[in-house]
Amino acid sequence: MDDLDTWRSSPSPQGSDLGRPADGSLADILERVLDKGIVIAGDIKIDLLDIELLTIRLRLFIASVDTARKAGIDWWETDPALSSSAARDDLREENRRLRAQLEELAPADDGPRRPERMKEKPH
Amino acid sequence: MATAPAPAHAVCVFAVRRGRGPDLPPDLSGHAGGGPLRLVPAGALWAVVQDVPADDYSEKALRERLSEPETLERCVRDHHAVVTAFAARGGAIPLPLATLYHSEERCRAALVADVPRFERTLERITGRNEWAVKVNLLAGRKPDPQTPQASQTPQESPARDEAPAPSGRAYLARLRERGQERDDRRQRALDAAELLDRAVLSIAGATVRRRPHGAEIVGRDRTQILNAAYLVPERSGPEFNALLDRLRAASEFEGCEVEVTGPWVPYSFVDAASLADTGDRPHRGVRDADNGVRDADNGVHNVDDGEHVGSRT
């Protein structure tokens, strides 16, 4: 977690001059510097994509696609349509999680009542 | 100078712009361990370059070094500082981190060969800045809906006896209600962000949306709804910020925070420009799918540099 702390974003005030580096968070800078730029053929090749994937794997700065989809946020892919199927997945996941919790809670709360009775689907 | 390039150094190029322009700030040092930054001509363009130790910048060494978060951060920040200073007056095109050549001659030859593409990109970004806008949905009510009983357990309050333990059904209903509430808030935030996007595009010429940052960045108590960049004419900066202030205060954004950073060198738009103009660049794999690149001008790229900005209604 120490690593994550050093990479965490700190919201920054706006309005710096362009002469100074924009006072963005490290995540802001990383996603720009690593993601964009005109590709020209250098003599020494490095694959920025690898570097970026590495940072993603370390979960340092970008939400996973799955996480974002669960939150219904996928419009950077299919702008401007918002995916309703993502919302359904979210509900399904939540439903599953709630039922798992109920499995734990119900015996303590309701004694003999069987957990099956609460396995009704919200939809 | 006709001899083979010295193997001890590689030449790192950071960015190109039209004309030599002013000197760089003297305290700007570029990458650690490198020589002084210098400006070199490449056809009609000028680039900022630096000699760097070849041993540290071989393919293998770079891969290793950039895989260390601390080194990656330092390199990215150093790169960003040079690019930003170089772009301070007039447009500059940032080149990818660690664009390296065996010699200055090779560097210049490569840049010269690409001058037409650089020129087209400069057409597009000169006189414009990038601004980043993020919309975060703040977590709702404080009590955690997943553990409603947790807050009651610390003290054996009498209220606990009066209110019987909730039935499983009631419990489920309450959870469902809160889930619905959360979905509603999220949908409202998404709608608000769309509103913001449309409004901002009355000023901005183009936008790029990125994958929202995760909880590790924005914190567990918020969900990032929008992570966008906008290409905004320099002169419209105040108008842009005033618009965002108005939006931020609007009731639609209650429960949200709207973060604005900038102005940035238009990092996010040099790539889009080259794609739109040439159409022959190799795709960058998964990242093209991750980043929606949209053109607010519907393909009208040849806007005079900042001349008729915001004329669309």
Side-chain angles (χ1 to χ4, degrees):
Chain A
M1 292 307 280
D2 290 345
D3 279 352
L4 289 181
D5 285 341
T6 57
W7 288 64
R8 197 184 303 280
S9 156
S10 53
S12 57
Q14 64 195 45
S16 59
D17 296 330
L18 194 51
R20 291 181 287 124
D23 192 19
S25 70
L26 178 57
D28 286 336
I29 296 173
L30 279 173
E31 69 184 353
R32 284 177 170 73
V33 170
L34 295 186
D35 190 42
K36 294 294 178 184
I38 280 194
V39 173
I40 59 173
D43 288 341
I44 299 159
K45 308 278 193 213
I46 64 158
D47 193 340
L48 291 183
L49 185 58
D50 278 359
I51 303 296
E52 191 194 21
L53 283 178
L54 174 86
T55 55
I56 289 172
R57 251 193 330 268
L58 293 174
R59 300 169 63 231
L60 287 176
F61 69 100
I62 307 284
S64 78
V65 175
D66 283 350
T67 304
R69 282 194 182 133
K70 277 177 194 159
I73 306 163
D74 57 359
W75 61 3
W76 71 94
E77 289 176 345
T78 59
D79 176 62
L82 301 175
S83 165
S84 56
S85 67
R88 279 199 299 277
D89 287 348
D90 187 31
L91 282 178
R92 208 173 290 135
E93 162 65 16
E94 184 172 46
N95 195 7
R96 188 200 57 73
R97 191 168 43 74
L98 293 180
R99 265 186 277 150
Q101 284 181 342
L102 276 173
E103 299 274 349
E104 290 176 12
L105 291 174
D109 275 4
D110 301 301
R113 192 191 287 181
R114 303 308 304 157
E116 283 78 42
R117 288 194 53 192
M118 279 159 283
K119 278 190 175 176
E120 59 189 8
K121 291 188 175 180
H123 296 289
Chain B
M1 290 300 290
T3 54
H9 294 291
V11 174
C12 179
V13 53
F14 295 83
V16 298
R17 71 179 174 202
R18 278 197 193 106
R20 186 185 180 282
D23 286 333
L24 294 166
D27 57 341
L28 196 67
S29 55
H31 288 304
L37 294 162
R38 60 184 192 277
L39 304 177
V40 302
L45 303 177
W46 285 73
V48 55
V49 306
Q50 178 185 27
D51 290 337
V52 292
D55 286 348
D56 289 346
Y57 287 80
S58 70
E59 189 179 338
K60 182 167 177 294
L62 271 176
R63 189 173 299 280
E64 284 172 12
R65 294 193 321 123
L66 295 184
S67 295
E68 303 163 5
E70 299 76 22
T71 313
L72 176 62
E73 173 175 356
R74 201 171 64 238
C75 284
V76 165
R77 285 196 186 279
D78 290 343
H79 177 86
H80 177 59
V82 173
V83 166
T84 303
F86 186 63
R89 254 167 274 174
I93 300 174
L95 299 176
L97 178 71
T99 300
L100 295 156
Y101 293 91
H102 291 309
S103 70
E104 187 175 312
E105 286 71 26
R106 290 184 62 90
C107 171
R108 289 165 66 171
L111 295 178
V112 166
D114 250 340
V115 161
R117 192 150 62 97
F118 290 137
E119 291 280 7
R120 284 196 298 273
T121 302
L122 283 165
E123 280 298 309
R124 183 179 170 84
I125 64 169
T126 300
R128 297 181 173 84
N129 294 322
E130 174 174 337
W131 289 84
V133 178
K134 297 185 172 70
V135 176
N136 299 325
L137 174 60
L138 303 173
R141 54 179 66 197
K142 277 298 152 199
D144 184 354
Q146 282 146 40
T147 55
Q149 81 283 17
S151 56
Q152 297 174 5
T153 41
Q155 80 273 23
E156 293 294 326
S157 70
R160 193 185 167 97
D161 297 330
E162 295 163 20
S167 72
R169 192 176 296 274
Y171 178 73
L172 186 62
R174 198 166 69 235
L175 287 177
R176 209 182 290 157
E177 190 181 310
R178 291 186 183 173
Q180 184 61 47
E181 222 172 84
R182 202 184 50 197
D183 289 347
D184 290 349
R185 295 184 71 235
R186 185 182 292 150
Q187 190 56 51
R188 279 200 303 274
L190 287 165
D191 292 345
E194 269 300 350
L195 182 80
L196 178 148
D197 185 63
R198 279 199 302 276
V200 168
L201 282 175
S202 68
I203 298 174
T207 180
V208 169
R209 285 189 188 176
R210 288 196 167 87
R211 186 182 299 177
H213 292 178
E216 289 81 1
I217 296 301
V218 300
R220 306 253 166 235
D221 53 348
R222 56 200 68 193
T223 305
Q224 192 156 96
I225 296 289
L226 177 71
N227 180 12
Y230 296 95
L231 188 63
V232 178
E234 253 169 48
R235 70 182 64 176
S236 304
E239 188 190 348
F240 174 84
N241 278 290
L243 171 63
L244 279 155
D245 284 344
R246 283 203 304 279
L247 288 166
R248 196 182 275 122
S251 61
E252 283 87 347
F253 287 94
E254 200 182 317
C256 294
E257 67 186 3
V258 180
E259 283 178 17
V260 180
T261 57
W264 296 83
V265 176
Y267 283 105
S268 304
F269 297 95
V270 296
D271 198 44
S274 67
L275 275 172
D277 288 350
T278 65
D280 58 358
R281 254 194 67 249
H283 280 259
R284 293 163 83 180
V286 63
R287 283 186 298 164
D288 276 340
D290 291 345
N291 298 327
V293 176
R294 217 150 42 99
D295 216 325
D297 292 334
N298 288 329
V300 182
H301 300 313
N302 295 327
V303 179
D304 296 338
D305 292 340
E307 282 311 305
H308 61 276
V309 163
S311 57
R312 293 177 305 126
T313 49

